[in-house]
Amino acid sequence: MPRFGVLGPLTIESPPGRRTTPRGDHQRALLAVLLLNANSSVTVDALVETLWPETPPKSYSSNLHTYVSRLRARFEGLEIERDPRGYRLVVEPGELDLLSFRAAAAAGKAAARAGDPVAAAGHYRRALAEWRGPVLSGLHVPRLDADVARLESERLAAFEDCVDAELSDGRHGELTGELQAMITEHPLRERLAAQLMIALHRAGRQADSLAVHRDLRATLVEELGVEPGAEVRRVHAAVLRGEDPAPSTKASPIFPICQLPPDIADLAGREHEIAKLSGLLGEGTGVPVAVITGEPGAGKSTLAVSTAHRLRRSFSDGQLFVPLAGASDPRELADVLGDLLRALGVTGPAIPDDVEARAAVYRGRLADRRVLVVLDDAASPEQARALLPGTPGSAVLITSRQRLSGLAGASRLHLAPLSGAEAMTLLERLAGPERVDAERADAERIAKACGNLPLALRIAGSRLAMRPGMPLGKLAGKLEDEVSRLDELQVSDLQVRGSIALSYQALSPAARRAFRLIGRCRTLDLPAWAVSTLIDDEDADAAIDELLEASLLEATGLDPTGEQRFRVHDLVRVFATELGRELETHAERVASVAKVSDAALCLADTAARRLPRTVPMPLSDQDVPAQPLPGELVERLLRDPGAWFSVERANLVAAVSSLCAVGWRRKALRVLERLSAYLYLHSHYTDMRTAYETLRDAAREAGDRHIVVIAEANLTVLLHARGEYERAVEGYRECSKELAALGDSSARAWVETNLARCLVGLGRAGESLHAATQARELSTVEENGPGAYARHAESAALHRLGKITEALEIDRRILALALECGDERQLGVALQGLSWSLMLDGRQEEALETIEESVRVLRRTTAKSALAKSLRTQGAILAGAGQRVGAVRAYENARRLAGALEERPRELSCTRAIAASWIGDGRADRAIPVLRRCLDEFRAMGGKPATGLTLHVLRRAYEAVGETKAAEAAGEEAKRLEVPHDANASTLVRLLLSLTEPAPA
């Protein structure tokens, strides 16, 4: 294994004594940073910043991997490991001079503590012998400047410790020359000067010793404006008295020190955050810095104090707590440092006037100590940077409303609101667990209105504690009113509005305007396109960056479309809305909301037209504005229209409610029509129902009869999809009558088509054919309108009337139109319809080929509902062909899809077929309870054909287990439900019963 050197020029010494270095600046810099952090993980970001301090290439990841691979290949035995954070170079202490130096220095400290100065000096001299010159001399890597400076400080401290040990051993005569050389190199180093004064005095050179003091004092006063410190003054006084000025071994009474405020007793949750901070502050060999950021009221200071208390044992020299008042009136750095120096025992004239000098003395006081410094409410990176200790052992925990992005090397923890369980725990601790348990639902309303923000919850809980008789529901009702919510969230000196206002007031005018504009969006999850559209300013990016830095806006990452997402806390949004109402006109607020809602509608329109059209209701072209977004952005967002709808689904549902609230019902309908193309395709029926009910109720209240009917028609479609056929038929007929009165023949054609499909399910084929014919006559669009859907319904009705030849003609016409159109979903659906007509016409082989093609085509689309239907048809045709295994597999696949889509009628029909196969497998006892449940649900739906089919299969199951009477009863009821000439039912009975036959050997 080679031996590495960084304490001097970068070297690699391979046996037998051959020294080499990597080729190329990038490889040398990479090896240097890994060696300076030996056995610790170095993040990829840190390595990239090291290698490319200006602008990294696009291929930086692969370049970095190449450099690592070349190092491994060039130096045999070089162990560079990849871990989740970055890369780690693994070496033993004897394989790196830095580790050898630190091990020997640590041994020297241990020997000195044990009272063995001879052994201590030996260890220190061995440590210092590892140094061959300045760290990494000849290799300048800006990213490593701070590390190099720290190592030089370690070397100087080891030398001074070594001198102390040798002075204790009486070797002052040997040290004067070496000390004089070092003081020339470091003229401001007080400890070196004190040691040289001691050595000279012991050598009988009192005048020279006093001259060292004069020179030091003159230099300090001239360059820093400070007097020598307490130790130098003590040695000087001893020399003047002619006494032995041996360094004092008495520990300073200043340490340990603890300035932490009391730990909060009712802290709820945050265990994960405390554990993460504890890990961050204990990492590495430098001075770890952790920054807690978060929106106003998130509990940053509380978390910092609680974490610091838990870490007291890890920082034996103490904990400093420094309030910086960054959000209100940032404290002057000179005042802060003055307070810190007085706390650390520096008093009176020893405190320099110059800020930089104060910072130097502060770092000197903390040198080689283990102190945790808590900087609360930092205003800027500059304010925090001046208060960082200079030597390893100490750590810094910072809270700030700003992200402090300019603070290099800091780890950041963004503090989110509490979880639901943590919020309830905090309320219980403040208001009492019995009271919260007794009114749990209202307590959850309070937590939701507070957005789970600790400050808001603490205020709400304190108000409840002050008024033990107040019902929780009363406070919840007040908090749910957005207009008065922030008025309610204040008690004593605590208030949410004031906390947010401090952050707002620190913003630039442009960022303040952006903040107020963002408050107009009621959604809390915002895409970048919406934010940019709202702000509509060339400096929008700068304003957004400022809001992010101030923790008033949170970037939550990229969505599947590649768009940046942002989050605004609900209480922050309420505050922004308040400001908007105060500072801007109604017309200004309406204009900005109209702009972003137009963009959303246009995106939804384009996305919906790129999806297969499955929802059986019209998509109106009226009232759709011109797209305000750039064409390139639209194309990127809608490259996958389904993905865009997926990420914006919740926002669009919320937008329907918001648009209705401001009276924009027509726009709400247009948005919902387009969103329904996605929701219906993926069977998100709950969202459809919620949105259409909201739209219907708003239109009913406003007396908008047309929108009420359109909403009711769509709600009826959902009843139909869930198998509530009787209610659906009633709803369709009522809507058709209303639309006829309103003169909307287009929407009425769709409703009549849906009515025809529903009547088929009820076994009323004649009525279904009449409705389908009427729909086709009302329709003006043959290929993709209700006319095409009506033809499918006509074919299904003709099957049940035994008119297979006519159905075949219609199905061939549907297929021809689908081929002309080129839409794969329409083609797959057309092939499914034709396959079943062929099956009913006795052309089984053609039917099987056609349905297999349908399944192949539909598997290439997102039309899962149509695929489920084709798979079910495939199962039936395979059963007729005697391919039992394939039939059951097709039915199982269809059932799985239908279940995921919540299409209960189709799921039940597949379950019935699978249960039929169990009878053939000799498991009729297992099939009977399943078939009974299917029968009960089909009866509840009113589907007579489905009920009759199920009874036929159940009869066969009863026969298989010997229950003769039950079999006869099922058979008689099935016969009563039979409809003459229903070729569909008679064929399906035959196919299902073929599955009940024992499988051939």
Side-chain angles (χ1 to χ4, degrees):
M1 181 70 183
R3 191 172 195 272
F4 302 95
V6 293
L7 304 180
L10 176 65
T11 59
I12 304 175
E13 187 173 322
S14 304
R18 183 170 56 89
R19 287 190 175 184
T20 56
T21 56
R23 298 191 186 98
D25 290 342
H26 282 144
Q27 287 194 59
R28 285 197 294 273
L30 174 61
L31 181 59
V33 72
L34 290 173
L35 287 171
L36 288 188
N37 295 273
N39 299 320
S40 296
S41 180
V42 184
T43 65
V44 170
D45 287 345
L47 292 173
V48 170
E49 187 180 342
T50 300
L51 299 179
W52 299 282
E54 299 297 329
T55 304
K58 292 183 179 179
S59 59
Y60 69 83
S61 180
S62 61
N63 288 1
L64 178 58
H65 179 74
T66 300
Y67 294 146
V68 170
S69 299
R70 287 176 181 171
L71 283 176
R72 290 184 182 129
R74 179 166 172 73
F75 302 106
E76 187 178 352
L78 184 63
E79 258 189 88
I80 302 178
E81 296 179 348
R82 184 76 164 93
D83 63 25
R85 296 187 58 197
Y87 290 91
R88 177 172 59 247
L89 192 153
V90 180
V91 292
E92 296 297 325
E95 296 169 353
L96 174 61
D97 57 4
L98 173 58
L99 297 183
S100 299
F101 161 72
R102 285 176 171 160
K109 280 184 180 292
R113 284 195 297 268
D116 188 349
V118 176
H123 290 305
Y124 283 126
R125 286 296 174 183
R126 194 170 71 254
L128 294 168
E130 295 289 345
W131 287 76
R132 296 170 286 109
V135 176
L136 297 173
S137 56
L139 175 64
H140 181 233
V141 181
R143 178 71 168 68
L144 300 180
D145 286 349
D147 295 318
V148 170
R150 279 195 293 270
L151 284 175
E152 291 292 344
S153 294
E154 284 187 54
R155 175 198 177 197
L156 201 51
F159 175 76
E160 290 168 339
D161 289 342
C162 179
V163 170
D164 278 345
E166 292 179 339
L167 286 173
S168 298
D169 192 35
R171 294 159 62 183
H172 47 270
E174 306 168 21
L175 290 170
T176 54
E178 192 173 7
L179 282 168
Q180 283 171 334
M182 289 295 282
I183 202 74
T184 301
E185 189 178 343
H186 303 281
L188 298 178
R189 192 78 174 185
E190 294 187 37
R191 188 178 176 192
L192 284 174
Q195 290 172 330
L196 179 56
M197 289 169 67
I198 293 169
L200 289 169
H201 179 69
R202 286 184 178 175
R205 298 166 62 183
Q206 185 180 27
D208 290 338
S209 178
L210 293 173
V212 171
H213 178 267
R214 282 195 305 273
D215 292 343
L216 173 67
R217 183 177 180 277
T219 304
L220 289 173
V221 170
E222 181 182 344
E223 295 195 17
L224 301 180
V226 300
E227 292 286 339
E231 180 64 13
V232 172
R233 294 199 304 272
R234 185 191 65 76
V235 173
H236 179 240
V239 172
L240 286 173
R241 292 193 301 268
E243 299 173 355
D244 183 9
S248 172
T249 57
K250 184 178 180 182
S252 168
I254 304 296
F255 297 99
I257 182 173
C258 182
Q259 296 182 325
L260 295 176
D263 196 3
I264 191 166
D266 53 16
L267 182 71
R270 303 304 197 197
E271 293 299 327
H272 171 73
E273 289 85 352
I274 290 174
K276 184 172 182 179
L277 289 169
S278 299
L280 291 173
L281 295 172
E283 284 184 353
T285 56
V287 179
V289 179
V291 181
I292 305 173
T293 65
E295 52 227 347
K300 300 180 287 295
S301 297
T302 300
L303 175 62
V305 170
S306 189
T307 302
H309 273 286
R310 298 200 191 188
L311 291 173
R312 284 189 63 189
R313 290 187 179 181
S314 299
F315 295 91
S316 53
D317 289 317
Q319 302 80 38
L320 296 174
F321 185 82
V322 189
L324 296 174
S328 53
D329 185 16
R331 295 178 62 197
E332 292 292 335
L333 195 53
D335 295 337
V336 173
L337 285 165
D339 289 346
L340 282 169
L341 291 180
R342 281 185 283 273
L344 293 170
V346 183
T347 58
I351 297 179
D353 294 329
D354 182 71
V355 173
E356 291 185 6
R358 288 186 179 190
V361 176
Y362 163 71
R363 287 193 293 273
R365 281 284 166 166
L366 296 185
D368 300 324
R369 297 282 184 183
R370 291 195 60 78
V371 175
L372 175 62
V373 182
V374 180
L375 305 179
D376 186 48
D377 196 13
S380 65
E382 294 77 19
Q383 189 186 42
R385 199 177 291 122
L387 300 172
L388 304 182
T391 57
S394 292
V396 184
L397 180 56
I398 306 174
T399 73
S400 180
R401 298 187 182 203
Q402 304 292 321
R403 281 184 48 80
L404 304 184
S405 301
L407 197 59
S411 300
R412 287 172 179 78
L413 173 69
H414 181 80
L415 195 58
L418 297 174
S419 67
E422 290 169 343
M424 296 305 291
T425 300
L426 181 54
L427 279 180
E428 288 172 358
R429 291 178 180 174
L430 294 165
E434 298 83 2
R435 188 176 176 190
V436 171
D437 282 343
E439 302 176 71
R440 193 98 190 154
D442 289 327
E444 289 173 352
R445 290 170 59 203
I446 291 172
K448 184 178 179 183
C450 291
N452 290 352
L453 199 67
L455 175 60
L457 288 164
R458 192 166 294 283
I459 293 170
S462 299
R463 290 190 61 186
L464 292 171
M466 290 164 54
R467 299 183 61 183
M470 176 192 283
L472 269 63
K474 183 176 181 180
L475 179 59
K478 291 180 177 180
L479 293 175
E480 285 171 341
D481 181 0
E482 280 196 3
V483 176
S484 62
R485 184 181 301 174
L486 295 182
D487 293 327
E488 297 295 332
L489 287 174
Q490 53 184 332
V491 61
S492 185
D493 62 339
L494 297 177
Q495 57 169 295
V496 171
R497 182 186 283 110
S499 179
I500 302 172
L502 288 174
S503 294
Y504 172 76
Q505 288 158 7
L507 297 173
S508 67
R512 290 184 185 184
R513 175 181 175 271
F515 177 69
R516 297 193 300 270
L517 287 167
I518 290 171
R520 293 173 195 168
C521 271
R522 298 187 63 83
T523 177
L524 304 182
D525 172 41
L526 294 165
W529 62 263
V531 175
S532 300
T533 303
L534 271 171
I535 299 174
D536 192 22
D537 188 283
E538 61 182 11
D539 295 326
D541 288 343
I544 291 169
D545 288 343
E546 191 173 345
L547 293 175
L548 290 169
E549 189 69 22
S551 297
L552 291 172
L553 186 66
E554 180 188 352
T556 57
L558 300 180
D559 65 28
T561 70
E563 191 73 347
Q564 176 69 60
R565 309 294 294 193
F566 300 101
R567 188 187 76 86
V568 183
H569 191 277
D570 196 28
L571 293 178
V572 174
R573 182 190 60 76
V574 170
F575 178 78
T577 305
E578 275 188 0
L579 289 173
R581 284 196 295 264
E582 291 172 13
L583 301 176
E584 286 152 8
T585 66
H586 176 73
E588 287 173 329
R589 299 198 301 274
V590 168
S592 59
V593 174
K595 195 179 300 180
V596 76
S597 61
D598 283 352
L601 173 55
C602 291
L603 284 170
D605 182 69
T606 305
R609 295 180 190 282
R610 294 180 181 182
L611 289 177
R613 186 70 189 164
T614 59
V615 58
M617 284 301 290
L619 183 68
S620 173
D621 292 327
Q622 297 177 357
D623 311 311
V624 179
Q627 173 60 263
L629 299 179
E632 317 87 74
L633 174 61
V634 172
E635 285 306 310
R636 177 172 64 76
L637 291 173
L638 303 183
R639 192 173 295 118
D640 181 348
W644 183 82
F645 269 126
S646 176
V647 297
E648 299 296 354
R649 169 182 156 196
N651 284 345
L652 292 171
V653 171
V656 170
S657 176
S658 298
L659 292 168
C660 288
V662 297
W664 296 353
R665 294 176 300 280
R666 187 69 54 182
K667 182 177 278 190
L669 174 60
R670 296 297 172 250
V671 169
L672 187 49
E673 284 173 348
R674 283 137 185 85
L675 176 59
S676 295
Y678 171 79
L679 297 177
Y680 193 84
L681 179 64
H682 294 279
S683 298
H684 296 310
Y685 298 143
T686 301
D687 280 352
M688 280 187 71
R689 184 173 63 252
T690 299
Y692 274 113
E693 284 175 349
T694 299
L695 179 61
R696 178 199 61 193
D697 295 347
R700 189 174 284 161
E701 186 175 343
D704 192 332
R705 185 179 168 197
H706 184 253
I707 290 184
V708 169
V709 177
I710 295 296
E712 287 286 6
N714 279 279
L715 290 168
T716 304
V717 167
L718 301 181
L719 291 175
H720 185 176
R722 293 180 184 277
E724 298 183 44
Y725 295 140
E726 294 288 0
R727 287 181 62 197
V729 164
E730 184 181 340
Y732 285 138
R733 283 185 165 151
E734 184 61 32
C735 288
S736 180
K737 189 193 306 179
E738 287 282 329
L739 290 167
L742 291 167
D744 188 344
S745 58
S746 173
R748 187 180 170 216
W750 282 98
V751 170
E752 288 288 338
T753 299
N754 293 333
L755 173 62
R757 292 170 58 240
C758 195
L759 287 166
V760 165
L762 286 169
R764 290 148 67 174
E767 295 176 64
S768 172
L769 186 60
H770 174 75
T773 303
Q774 188 165 1
R776 186 160 48 80
E777 291 170 354
L778 286 167
S779 176
T780 58
V781 181
E782 178 76 3
E783 292 83 1
N784 199 25
Y789 283 86
R791 284 192 171 278
H792 285 290
E794 277 187 274
S795 175
L798 290 169
H799 289 166
R800 284 157 178 77
L801 294 170
K803 299 179 179 181
I804 307 305
T805 304
E806 293 178 43
L808 265 170
E809 280 184 35
I810 290 173
D811 287 326
R812 293 191 192 280
R813 171 63 179 158
I814 293 171
L815 178 59
L817 290 171
L819 288 168
E820 286 178 24
C821 173
D823 181 279
E824 287 204 322
R825 193 204 71 83
Q826 289 189 50
L827 176 60
V829 170
L831 288 166
Q832 181 276 328
L834 178 60
S835 72
W836 190 239
S837 288
L838 289 168
M839 186 68 184
L840 297 183
D841 198 40
R843 296 148 78 170
Q844 186 170 282
E845 287 187 12
E846 286 183 66
L848 187 55
E849 289 176 6
T850 305
I851 193 59
E852 285 175 348
E853 178 64 16
S854 171
V855 169
R856 276 195 298 274
V857 169
L858 289 172
R859 284 195 192 279
R860 297 196 295 265
T861 73
T862 56
K864 302 303 180 188
S865 178
L867 176 59
K869 185 175 182 179
S870 281
L871 284 167
R872 183 182 63 175
T873 302
Q874 184 184 39
I877 294 173
L878 286 169
Q883 298 182 35
R884 179 192 186 81
V885 173
V888 173
R889 186 185 303 114
Y891 275 122
E892 286 174 341
N893 290 335
R895 181 175 67 171
R896 193 178 301 113
L897 271 176
L901 298 172
E902 299 183 44
E903 295 179 342
R904 190 59 178 159
R906 188 166 294 146
E907 185 181 8
L908 286 172
S909 63
C910 293
T911 300
R912 176 182 61 203
I914 293 166
S917 74
W918 293 346
I919 300 169
D921 293 340
R923 294 181 289 167
D925 55 337
R926 181 185 173 191
I928 288 172
V930 172
L931 290 167
R932 282 175 173 167
R933 285 195 294 272
C934 291
L935 183 63
D936 290 342
E937 290 197 52
F938 280 132
R939 280 174 172 160
M941 292 175 187
K944 290 182 181 178
T947 302
L949 287 169
T950 309
L951 285 165
H952 277 296
V953 179
L954 186 58
R955 171 182 62 82
R956 185 64 60 88
Y958 282 136
E959 289 172 351
V961 297
E963 294 188 27
T964 308
K965 289 185 178 180
E968 289 174 355
E972 288 173 5
E973 186 179 356
K975 284 182 182 178
R976 286 196 298 273
L977 293 173
E978 285 179 0
V979 176
H981 314 299
D982 188 344
N984 192 77
S986 60
T987 301
L988 269 175
V989 168
R990 175 175 60 81
L991 298 179
L992 286 171
L993 292 183
S994 72
L995 291 173
T996 68
E997 299 294 334

